[in-house]
Amino acid sequence: MELKDLVGEHILDAVDFSTEQVETWGEPFKACQAMRFRLDGNVYTVTEDPEDGCRSTMKEITAGDWPMTNVFQPVRVVGRHRPFSEYGRGSDILELIDVGTGQTVIEVGTDNCHDYYPNFVANFRPESMTPNAGLGPAGE
């Protein structure tokens, strides 16, 4: 699965963060950040893949059936794939933009893909969601 597969309109109703153990070349397992979010009833997990102490990238995105703890009022979002950063560098980032506010709620993926120091991105901005902006339910 790729982040591009989630481009389009969805309903977002849960986001969780956790620490996962992933296999690496030099060590059997290493603790890495993971972000889970639920779109249209499907839970997606994006995990970090640390290359060394200074660099990190997105390891993978997977779909599965995990219980979610941070569940909130559903919001309509549009998924957009961002292949370049604001500085013109390569990126592989999924943005989920709230339909009602027009603001980015989730950014997840890898920024600076082709740079010496790529970095894993996993941002959640609940203040950008319509219910939190005081605009009414799900952008209506």
Side-chain angles (χ1 to χ4, degrees), residues 57-84:
T57 59
M58 183 186 84
K59 179 180 170 98
E60 63 187 352
I61 179 170
T62 57
D65 187 27
W66 292 279
M68 301 294 289
T69 56
N70 182 30
V71 179
F72 43 81
Q73 179 179 344
V75 293
R76 291 176 39 224
V77 294
V78 174
R80 177 174 72 181
H81 184 253
R82 191 173 76 205
F84 297 100

Side-chain angles (χ1 to χ4, degrees), residues 29-97:
F29 291 95
K30 192 167 188 176
C32 295
Q33 182 180 6
M35 174 191 237
R36 285 192 176 90
F37 52 94
R38 187 165 55 202
L39 292 177
D40 304 324
N42 301 308
V43 178
Y44 300 93
T45 302
V46 179
T47 53
E48 176 186 20
D49 184 7
E51 295 179 15
D52 65 27
C54 298
R55 294 177 280 244
S56 65
T57 59
M58 183 186 84
K59 179 180 170 98
E60 63 187 352
I61 179 170
T62 57
D65 187 27
W66 292 279
M68 301 294 289
T69 56
N70 182 30
V71 179
F72 43 81
Q73 179 179 344
V75 293
R76 291 176 39 224
V77 294
V78 174
R80 177 174 72 181
H81 184 253
R82 191 173 76 205
F84 297 100
S85 71
E86 62 185 280
Y87 304 109
R89 295 187 175 128
S91 294
D92 181 21
I93 293 181
L94 173 70
E95 296 177 318
L96 295 177
I97 301 162

